[in-house]
Amino acid sequence: MTQQGAVLQGYNNELVKCIEDLCMQKEELNKQIRQAEEEKNKLQHEIQVLSEQLECVCENLAQKVASRNELDKILAETEAAYMKILDSSRTLLNVLKKEVGSLKHTPEQKTN
């Protein structure tokens, strides 16, 4: 019976060691899980901050694009109006030159 008791004690010792090893593995996994959860929470917070920043940048960009489009429209209208002014000035100049030219070719009238 002592031999069986010794064998049983050996099994018991080995079983206790296996249980202790499993407990140590569990604690290590718990530690890794906590670290992973902390990293996940940190990343989620960073994502939220970056999403808010992205939203602000997108809004700012949209406003700037709208302003640029408005300036493009104003610039196009101004350039078109300026071209009309140039055309009118050229026409006026041509008419004036023609009038001045015709005055030079008319005989002078004398007054007594």
Side-chain angles (χ1 to χ4, degrees):
M1 184 85 154
T2 25
Q3 188 178 356
Q4 291 173 339
V7 170
L8 185 60
Q9 183 63 37
Y11 290 154
N12 186 44
N13 289 342
E14 199 172 326
L15 182 60
V16 168
K17 180 161 177 17
C18 284
I19 291 172
E20 286 174 350
D21 287 346
L22 289 174
C23 285
M24 286 175 47
Q25 287 178 5
K26 178 184 171 187
E27 284 303 313
E28 180 60 30
L29 278 175
N30 281 337
K31 179 182 173 187
Q32 291 173 2
I33 288 169
R34 280 191 304 275
Q35 288 173 341
E37 286 174 342
E38 287 172 7
E39 181 69 14
K40 177 186 135 194
N41 291 336
K42 176 184 167 196
L43 291 172
Q44 284 178 328
H45 177 71
E46 288 176 10
I47 288 171
Q48 180 182 358
V49 168
L50 289 173
S51 293
E52 290 170 1
Q53 289 176 348
L54 178 61
E55 185 178 338
C56 288
V57 168
C58 287
E59 288 174 7
N60 188 288
L61 179 61
Q63 290 173 352
K64 287 181 180 186
V65 167
S67 293
R68 182 194 61 196
N69 291 342
E70 185 64 25
L71 286 174
D72 284 344
K73 178 183 169 189
I74 292 169
L75 185 60
E77 291 171 354
T78 302
E79 287 175 346
Y82 183 68
M83 293 308 291
K84 286 180 181 179
I85 291 169
L86 286 178
D87 191 44
S88 295
S89 295
R90 182 175 36 247
T91 302
L92 178 61
L93 181 61
N94 288 337
V95 167
L96 184 60
K97 283 180 179 180
K98 191 182 288 184
E99 291 293 323
V100 168
S102 69
L103 285 177
K104 286 182 180 178
H105 295 289
T106 60
E108 291 184 28
Q109 295 179 351
K110 296 184 180 178
T111 56
N112 290 340

